Amino acid sequence: MSVRVRRIYESPEPDDGLRVLVDRLWPRGLSKEDAHVDEWPKGLTPSTGLRRWFHEGGSYEEFARRYEAELDAPEAAGLLDGLRKTARSRKVTLLTASKTPEQSHATVLARLISD
């Protein structure tokens, strides 16, 4: 299973596989053509309230815990299962505009997909 996290502002690479944008908002200053996004499942993104809480100074550990709880909702759980199935047969690259992708929801998703 191959899942990785990259910033959407990085140039696409041939080995990206399925490129999935996992942010709720479209990245600033980037055209859809330049982004080369294959899927944008907004149902997998953190809620607006959780995202704002985290950006206002919430801890990453608590954010990850709350985000995992949100992913238990039926729509999100279904989308997550779909990405797990896809990742079994091809590479999946989760794209985020986060300046610190290693401490973002994309990293939580990558871990859950790989489990």
Side-chain angles (χ1 to χ4, degrees):
M1 187 174 295
S2 179
V3 179
R4 70 179 182 170
V5 175
R6 296 186 64 213
R7 290 198 73 223
I8 193 159
Y9 297 108
E10 297 171 6
S11 297
E13 294 180 359
D15 67 341
D16 280 346
L18 183 72
R19 291 175 51 88
V20 182
L21 177 61
V22 294
D23 290 349
R24 183 169 299 267
L25 304 174
W26 187 261
R28 292 180 189 204
L30 187 64
S31 73
K32 290 185 180 183
E33 183 178 289
D34 290 340
H36 300 279
V37 169
D38 297 310
E39 293 183 11
W40 186 15
K42 293 180 186 178
L44 272 179
T45 64
S47 66
T48 300
L50 180 57
R51 184 175 48 82
R52 285 182 180 154
W53 174 85
F54 182 53
H55 289 296
E56 290 171 359
S59 75
Y60 177 71
E61 292 77 20
E62 180 63 16
F63 168 78
R65 188 190 68 71
R66 291 181 185 188
Y67 180 45
E68 284 186 46
E70 288 186 355
L71 291 171
D72 286 336
E75 178 188 5
L79 291 167
L80 185 58
D81 284 343
L83 275 180
R84 277 190 191 113
K85 289 176 185 169
T86 300
R88 287 186 196 122
S89 61
R90 69 185 287 201
K91 292 180 181 180
V92 173
T93 299
L94 303 179
L95 303 167
T96 181
S98 173
K99 292 180 182 177
T100 55
E102 63 281 353
Q103 284 203 323
S104 73
H105 64 290
T107 300
V108 175
L109 271 178
R111 179 176 45 81
L112 292 174
I113 292 167
S114 298
D115 284 350

